[in-house]
Amino acid sequence: MKSDQHDVERSPRSRFANFPFDPSAVPFFYGTVVLVCGTLGVLASAPGQTVGVSVFTDFLIEAHELSRSWISFAYLAGTIGSAVLISRAGRYYDRFGGRWVSAGSAAMLALVLMAMSFSDVIAGAAASVLPGSYRNGVSFAVLTLGFFAMRFFGQGMLTLSSRNMVLEWFEQRRGMALAFIGISIAFGFSITPAFFEWLIQRGGWAWAWQTIAIIVAVFSLLAVVFARSRPEEHGMLPDGPFAKENRKAHAETLSGRDFTLSEARRTYSFWVFTFSVVLSGLLLTAFSFHVVSIFADAGMSRARAVSIFVPAAFVSVVVEFVGSWLSDFVKLKYLAMVQSLGSLILALSLSFLDANISVVFVVLGMGLMQGMFGIISGVTWPRFFGRMHLGAISGFSTSIVVAGTAIGPYLFSVAHDQVGVYRPATLLCAVAAVFLIAASWRADRPV
């Protein structure tokens, strides 16, 4: 669908916007191709997500001869460091667009994964020129730097740019676009632990990371060729031929006025929605990172621990599909309540985990959280605050979310080290979920 506005402001990336071909020349709405590219981009971020890192945790403990708490602290430090930079990096999204940021982030993530496959060799080489007492410190520094880069380019920039790129091509159909992404990610991330475990068993943890790096690098090339940043750069409008004629219907589903980052941060709703996503990310990250240990404490095997992600994905798919459809018609605050309810269910089920009925509630809680995560973290920012400063606003929120995901594994580690169980940490999360459910009642779209 061609835009009648020929004076659309050209961004710095517009010079290469139509390389290697002009998307407006294809005989269908190009947003569908961007949707596929964005989905693949989020899937490519899996090795930088906790669900991907957690499979390698025990092998890193053995290879670097560090305790679980020190590995968790390195993960915390690296993730906090990435969170500090993501907010500023979101501004680069506004300047260069999702296409180039996602391609560049994927290329950098591939290089980092390749380096991490030699992390024990790198640490050993560096420690060889230092006194023996520095061995653990060097390993900690190497892992912290590696985790920082994996989280920044994977969970941070690649996820942010890929999802936002899709949101720029859809407005009235954002919910359905996110449903496609969410369903794909739910299945993709659910098989990630099993797939990574299969690679490890086949060739070792280092070879597994090298293989994954090649896969991520292939996506980087695909993004350069097929991804595109904004429809206006090609004379098109969001939704294309799928745009509805009556744009006044369901007013909250359309983008709000364009807020700056400073204006968005002064609104009540910004913080409620951000912390709803923070709690879900913190809890899910902590659970994924320590899933084997959590299930072992409850008398269950490593195989059962890893397999828990598959049934949770099926629940997540249903929740994501229904929630995404509803997001085109209802206020987002109601969906935020469902997300926090999922956090509450998961936190309480982990507090009293055993091999019986509580496992069912773990699956239910994870499914509700994961199903709503992409909707709340994706739809909220363009709908509430417009698209002009989408990168800066979503980047700032993402930086807080990433910091929260960093705290989660360490919080759980400290609880386990101090009292021998994870219950103090999970009950704290349950209390936070109750507060967020109550706070969501007033979280309407700012005007």
Side-chain angles (χ1 to χ4, degrees), residues 171 174 251-257 382-384 386-387 445:
E171 184 173 55
R174 267 190 197 124
E252 200 201 72
T253 66
L254 301 178
S255 295
R257 73 173 179 88
R383 180 185 296 185
F384 279 22
R387 293 193 294 138
R445 186 173 78 172

Side-chain angles (χ1 to χ4, degrees), residues 27-43:
F28 55 87
F29 178 51
Y30 199 77
T32 55
V33 177
V34 176
L35 176 58
V36 173
C37 288
T39 301
L40 291 176
V42 180
L43 289 173

